[in-house]
Amino acid sequence: MSIVIGRRGALGLGAAIATSGFRPASAQTINRTVRAIVGFPAGGSSDVVARLYADKLRGIYAQNIIVEGRVGAAGRIAVEAVKAGEADGSIYLQTPASMLTLQPHVFPREVRYDALTDLIPVSTVCTFPFAIAVPSSHPAKTLAELITWLKAQSGDVPFASPAAGSAPHFLGVMLGKKIGARLTHVPYRGAAPAMLDLVGGRLPVFVGVLGDISPQHGSGARMLAVSSERRNPRYPDLPTFAELGHPEMNKDEWFGALLPANTPANIVNALHAAIVQVARSPDMVAALDRLEYLPTVSASPAAFAERIRQERAEWGPIVRDSGFQPEN
């Protein structure tokens, strides 16, 4: 179970706790420098969120926390660094979901870790959805109209994602297969160049992180559906895929914190309690809201582990049925 913290911050979390029976453990501080490991470059969303949490976790989980980038291999180097780290609470991983749930299927030869045996899941720290978008000049004003348009095309229709083998890539493939449209994936190196081509009318469809598309929503681009379970509070008129008859495309992304395997339970619980405390603070709610992320904590480390297990199982057949090969 995950608990989403709204803009009401502590009040929103308090109501959720009251109805779920969830009771966080007490946080404790570690009297040494702790390293928060991230697998992506400084300034990117993974690094930014890790620094937001590290700043707030100082004095709650540890006296000092530094964010350390272990960049490379699409985030896998960072996971392996924590896998090999000391199991004393002095190192933890903050990573996107795909490193743990999707990449084991996309890069089975390269992934040399198992999130549930080599690491100990602690909690999610935030969630964020994907969205499908078209240029503002596109005739489709709704997802249903886009589907009709796609089916009417005589040849292959390109759609873009931020990277080959990413969750948006497979969401586009899933939609194409379901509706019987000939969608051809065009991988980009990140969202920025893809959005330039979308806004410029050189691409008809883009699937990516909502926060990467939203600055152009209503001007150069038009979002048609969002992958979250519920409508996004910033865009209440934007329907979810489930509302539109595509519940299989409800695939939120998250950032989560994990410790090395064999870390003692009292340390695991202390980090979980500290994350809950930080996530419910109004400052953190506001900071993540500016990034268009929702503070989201797992009800317990066991609940987070179950979420990873379930999502990893769900991605397996999706990747297999897509026919994706890493060299593509």
Side-chain angles (χ1 to χ4, degrees):
M1 176 182 178
S2 295
I3 299 171
V4 178
I5 304 167
R7 293 179 183 175
R8 292 175 298 161
L11 292 177
L13 181 59
I17 288 174
T19 58
S20 69
F22 165 59
R23 294 292 184 273
S26 297
Q28 64 181 37
T29 56
I30 294 177
N31 295 318
R32 58 180 296 188
T33 296
V34 169
R35 293 179 295 150
I37 306 298
V38 296
F40 299 91
S45 57
S46 185
D47 175 76
V48 169
V49 173
R51 292 180 187 279
L52 284 172
Y53 267 91
D55 182 60
K56 295 293 185 182
L57 287 169
R58 291 188 187 100
I60 301 175
Y61 173 66
Q63 292 301 316
N64 187 37
I65 302 176
I66 61 172
V67 176
E68 181 178 313
R70 293 291 187 92
V71 180
R76 294 188 294 276
I77 290 175
V79 183
E80 292 171 8
V82 175
K83 171 186 172 181
E86 293 292 328
D88 60 0
S90 64
I91 184 172
Y92 71 88
L93 173 71
Q94 189 163 306
T95 182
S98 57
M99 302 301 100
L100 312 177
T101 61
L102 179 56
Q103 283 206 14
H105 305 293
V106 174
F107 304 108
R109 295 181 181 178
E110 288 82 2
V111 171
R112 296 186 293 269
Y113 54 80
D114 185 308
L116 301 178
T117 58
D118 297 318
L119 301 166
I120 298 178
V122 179
S123 180
T124 55
V125 300
C126 67
T127 55
F128 52 97
F130 304 109
I132 187 168
V134 297
S136 57
S137 58
H138 199 284
K141 302 296 191 295
T142 66
L143 183 63
E145 290 179 358
L146 175 62
I147 291 171
T148 299
W149 181 86
L150 290 170
K151 289 182 175 180
Q153 304 310 300
S154 57
D156 290 353
V157 178
F159 83 93
S161 81
S166 63
H169 170 186
F170 294 112
L171 288 176
V173 171
M174 289 167 63
L175 181 64
K177 283 181 173 291
K178 181 174 180 179
I179 66 176
R182 294 166 58 182
L183 283 170
T184 300
H185 180 239
V186 180
Y188 277 73
R189 291 183 178 273
M195 284 302 298
L196 283 175
D197 283 350
L198 186 79
V199 170
R202 293 178 291 275
L203 275 173
V205 182
F206 176 64
V207 183
V209 174
L210 180 145
D212 291 333
I213 304 171
S214 60
Q216 298 294 335
H217 180 57
S219 54
R222 180 185 305 116
M223 294 189 289
L224 303 180
V226 65
S227 71
S228 51
E229 182 179 349
R230 300 176 183 86
R231 292 197 180 201
N232 188 284
R234 279 178 173 259
Y235 308 96
D237 295 331
L238 182 63
T240 67
F241 281 108
E243 289 179 74
L244 301 175
H246 306 280
E248 70 282 356
M249 295 184 66
N250 276 8
K251 299 287 184 186
D252 270 6
E253 180 81 334
W254 42 258
F255 289 142
L258 300 95
L259 289 160
N262 300 316
T263 300
N266 66 309
I267 295 176
V268 176
N269 292 332
L271 180 54
H272 179 267
I275 288 171
V276 170
Q277 182 176 336
V278 167
R280 69 192 298 181
S281 70
D283 287 350
M284 181 59 75
V285 173
L288 291 175
D289 182 64
R290 287 192 291 271
L291 296 170
E292 302 199 44
Y293 297 164
L294 286 171
T296 308
V297 295
S298 304
S300 66
F304 185 28
E306 180 56 32
R307 178 170 187 169
I308 293 172
R309 182 180 295 108
Q310 178 180 337
E311 292 184 8
R312 188 171 64 183
E314 290 172 353
W315 278 118
I318 293 170
V319 174
R320 183 174 61 251
D321 293 347
S322 75
F324 175 79
Q325 297 295 325
E327 62 268 23
N328 291 346

